[in-house]
Amino acid sequence: MLKIYNTLTRKKEEFQPIHPGVVNMYVCGPTVYNYIHIGNARSAIAFDTVRRYLEFIGYQVNYVSNFTDVDDKMIKAAHEQGITVPELADKYIQAFNEDTAAINIEPATKHPRATENIPEIIQFVSTLIDKGYAYAVDGDVYYRARKFKDYGELSGQSLDDLEVGASEHVSADEVNKKEDPLDFALWKPAKPGEISWDSPWGKGRPGWHIECSVMSTKYLGKTIDIHAGGQDLEFPHHENEIAQSEAATGQKFVKYWMHNGFVTIGKDDEKMSKSLHNFITVHDIIKEVDPQVLRFFMATTQYRRPIQYSEDNLTDAQNNLQHLQTAFNNLEYRKQDAVAGGDAAVEKQLADFKQRFITAMDDDINVQNGIAVVYELTKSANVYAEQTTVALDTLNQYQALLKQLVSIFGVELTVTGQIDDEAIQKLIQQRDEARKNKDFALSDKIRDDLKTKGIIIEDTPQGTRYRKE
Ligand SMILES: [Zn+2]
């Protein structure tokens, strides 16, 4: 039985979705004013991996993730680049799609933009005003945080703690308008020349938090199974989403809250932050790092733990991934001399591996224990592929299970170095001849020539094989 750590209750709970067999899941997406940074990638990879596991154990997952396509940062960046806010959004949504495809994030079931939902946002804010949870002042609309009885529950803070924090980052103008420092903006008036929409409170745009309440409710329903995002969103963003949604609908907003850990850079464990000059974008990373390696590296750390981004850790991930790929190739290579049929004893072992993998992952998506089972499976596959006699069905079953389990981490194993690649085979035969004749100069030359073409020759007890780098 799958257990998930629920930030709201601070406990691992048995996962029971509201509708049997279906998971409705919302993940807070990026503000599209730049390429996604490594912190965005961590969140996207963590919850794509969760989604893939939920699908693997049989759930249908409705996965909604938003684009914040209007806010102060969008307006500032569009102004600096001399383009409109929608043009800026289009540019970076396209970049988001390219970057996330490179790291093999499955597209969301629905990827709504805030600006596509302005009428629904205005309606939602009006409801909150009607119910006494919000008030309009000079074109602004604020939420009365103190009126919502559970405010602070998600982030585990008392109203007094929050009050101290709330007064720190607020302009004098806002302080004058708000009834209480804890109150937060639902709607903001537009300054002259800024992008805006007509509303009952004048021309303006939505505050940040309201879009997620509206889009989660609109696309997935009043109560959803999982709402997820980075730890930095617990407060104020998710706290405010709960206050808005539950005040408006009168129903519980989210059953399980999931939050991913931070990315730290280098040795100093500095939290990913722009001010620390650690602003690394996926767009730049994948110019130098194989996107599959980046994906595998991030997917194999449990979502709640911090990830230390370093060259050493990436190299480890690359080596581990190469072992998986080599085992997959070894199985493929043995198909040419395999006997027909299967091996019941090995089949039973494979079923055990699969069950152990599920047991590991059911513990709050413990990918570290899960991948450890996959590495054991890999060892077992290599031992099997070295046997004198191998069965074709069993080779296929090993490959199928490896491929299936590794795909949960967002990596697709494929056959590389196909044995029907005639030209390479011919050269390998020539090299074998040369070695037989003790012409090592020629055999080395053939090996080196192939290496320059990215073909690696490996001599094994079963003969010479090759793989592509
Ligand atoms: Zn959100």
Side-chain angles (χ1 to χ4, degrees):
M1 166 63 99
L2 174 62
K3 286 187 170 179
I4 285 181
Y5 180 86
N6 188 351
T7 311
L8 190 65
T9 59
R10 290 168 191 80
K11 279 198 290 257
K12 278 184 200 170
E13 296 177 2
E14 282 192 358
F15 180 70
Q16 279 171 333
I18 297 157
H19 308 286
V22 180
V23 179
N24 288 321
M25 179 168 181
Y26 185 98
V27 179
C28 289
T31 303
V32 284
Y33 72 113
N34 199 343
Y35 295 106
I36 56 167
H37 60 67
I38 195 170
N40 301 133
R42 206 275 151 110
S43 184
I45 288 172
F47 297 116
D48 183 63
T49 306
V50 170
R51 172 194 190 171
R52 284 167 184 265
Y53 183 67
L54 289 168
E55 287 171 346
F56 168 74
I57 57 176
Y59 289 110
Q60 181 208 318
V61 181
N62 298 318
Y63 191 98
V64 175
S65 190
N66 64 305
F67 290 122
T68 300
D69 62 347
V70 62
D71 77 347
D72 293 342
K73 284 181 292 208
M74 293 288 301
I75 291 168
K76 185 164 173 276
H79 181 74
E80 283 166 3
Q81 295 180 31
I83 55 178
T84 65
V85 168
E87 282 166 352
L88 182 79
D90 286 345
K91 176 179 165 181
Y92 286 113
I93 286 172
Q94 197 193 330
F96 173 95
N97 290 335
E98 288 166 10
D99 290 344
T100 54
I103 52 175
N104 214 13
I105 307 280
E106 279 187 64
T109 319
K110 185 82 193 164
H111 233 144
R113 305 180 183 201
T115 60
E116 291 169 350
N117 291 281
I118 300 293
E120 289 87 345
I121 289 172
I122 290 172
Q123 182 57 48
F124 210 100
V125 174
S126 300
T127 301
L128 288 170
I129 293 176
D130 292 346
K131 292 194 169 190
Y133 281 94
Y135 55 97
V137 198
D138 302 338
D140 286 87
V141 181
Y142 292 106
Y143 185 98
R144 288 189 176 100
R146 212 176 280 276
K147 190 174 164 66
F148 183 70
K149 64 177 174 38
D150 294 330
Y151 197 72
E153 192 186 359
L154 179 72
S155 52
Q157 302 180 82
S158 71
L159 290 176
D160 292 340
D161 297 337
L162 292 173
E163 198 161 352
V164 173
S167 56
E168 278 171 5
H169 306 287
V170 177
S171 68
D173 181 46
E174 262 192 69
V175 172
N176 293 335
K177 287 181 177 175
K178 284 183 185 180
E179 292 176 359
D180 186 310
L182 279 185
D183 296 351
F184 58 88
L186 299 174
W187 187 264
K188 296 177 172 190
K191 296 190 190 85
E194 278 182 0
I195 186 168
S196 65
W197 289 264
D198 289 325
S199 82
W201 320 287
K203 282 187 179 299
R205 65 176 185 278
W208 171 34
H209 315 297
I210 193 70
E211 69 179 65
C212 287
S213 282
V214 169
M215 290 189 269
S216 176
T217 309
K218 175 177 170 183
Y219 294 107
L220 295 171
K222 288 176 182 168
T223 307
I224 67 166
D225 297 302
I226 296 174
H227 194 113
Q231 268 170 13
D232 53 334
L233 298 184
E234 277 176 40
F235 184 83
H237 186 53
H238 288 162
E239 200 76 73
N240 292 352
E241 283 188 41
I242 294 172
Q244 294 162 161
S245 303
E246 298 193 356
T249 68
Q251 294 184 28
K252 191 173 179 63
F253 180 41
V254 171
K255 214 172 163 191
Y256 306 92
W257 283 93
M258 296 177 79
H259 292 97
N260 66 273
F262 292 124
V263 178
T264 62
I265 309 284
K267 293 193 177 81
D268 301 330
D269 282 2
E270 285 169 346
K271 195 185 108 184
M272 177 68 214
S273 122
K274 253 178 124 175
S275 57
L276 293 170
H277 307 288
N278 285 334
F279 195 70
I280 305 176
T281 67
V282 172
H283 184 77
D284 286 336
I285 293 172
I286 61 178
K287 287 177 192 160
E288 284 162 17
V289 176
D290 179 349
Q292 289 283 286
V293 171
L294 177 67
R295 167 72 200 226
F296 188 68
F297 164 60
M298 295 201 130
T300 46
T301 297
Q302 202 258 1
Y303 72 94
R304 285 199 288 139
R305 297 191 188 188
I307 285 187
Q308 193 186 20
Y309 184 84
S310 71
E311 228 161 86
D312 286 353
N313 288 343
L314 278 171
T315 304
D316 285 349
Q318 183 167 22
N319 292 337
N320 289 334
L321 190 53
Q322 186 60 57
H323 288 315
L324 297 175
Q325 184 62 59
T326 303
F328 194 77
N329 284 352
N330 289 344
L331 295 162
E332 185 70 19
Y333 176 77
R334 283 311 300 280
K335 286 183 188 173
Q336 54 190 324
D337 67 337
V339 298
D343 182 327
V346 180
E347 252 172 68
K348 164 86 175 58
Q349 279 178 24
L350 294 183
D352 288 347
F353 276 120
K354 188 169 178 175
Q355 191 47 55
R356 285 178 53 210
F357 176 82
I358 290 172
T359 304
M361 295 287 281
D362 271 356
D363 179 19
D364 196 26
I365 320 290
N366 192 326
V367 291
Q368 273 130 318
N369 291 344
I371 200 72
V373 176
V374 176
Y375 293 147
E376 280 185 51
L377 170 65
T378 305
K379 249 186 232 164
S380 166
N382 284 332
V383 169
Y384 185 76
E386 298 271 307
Q387 286 186 4
T388 320
T389 308
V390 292
L392 186 60
D393 289 354
T394 307
L395 291 171
N396 280 324
Q397 285 158 2
Y398 261 117
Q399 277 190 321
L401 185 59
L402 259 181
K403 196 176 170 67
Q404 188 184 29
L405 299 188
V406 172
S407 75
I408 293 166
F409 301 90
V411 172
E412 304 306 326
L413 296 178
T414 51
V415 176
T416 57
Q418 281 96 332
I419 41 179
D420 58 2
D421 204 344
E422 276 181 41
I424 302 172
Q425 280 302 327
K426 232 178 199 168
L427 284 167
I428 287 176
Q429 277 169 18
Q430 283 175 17
R431 177 171 170 273
D432 287 344
E433 282 296 308
R435 290 174 77 206
K436 248 182 239 162
N437 300 331
K438 307 229 182 286
D439 185 354
F440 295 113
L442 179 60
S443 77
D444 286 354
K445 185 182 180 305
I446 293 171
R447 188 195 60 206
D448 294 346
D449 286 353
L450 282 168
K451 188 162 194 309
T452 62
K453 297 186 179 82
I455 308 296
I456 308 295
I457 299 287
E458 291 169 337
D459 296 309
T460 76
Q462 284 77 38
T464 306
R465 73 179 73 146
Y466 67 93
R467 61 181 167 84
K468 289 178 180 157
E469 260 185 325

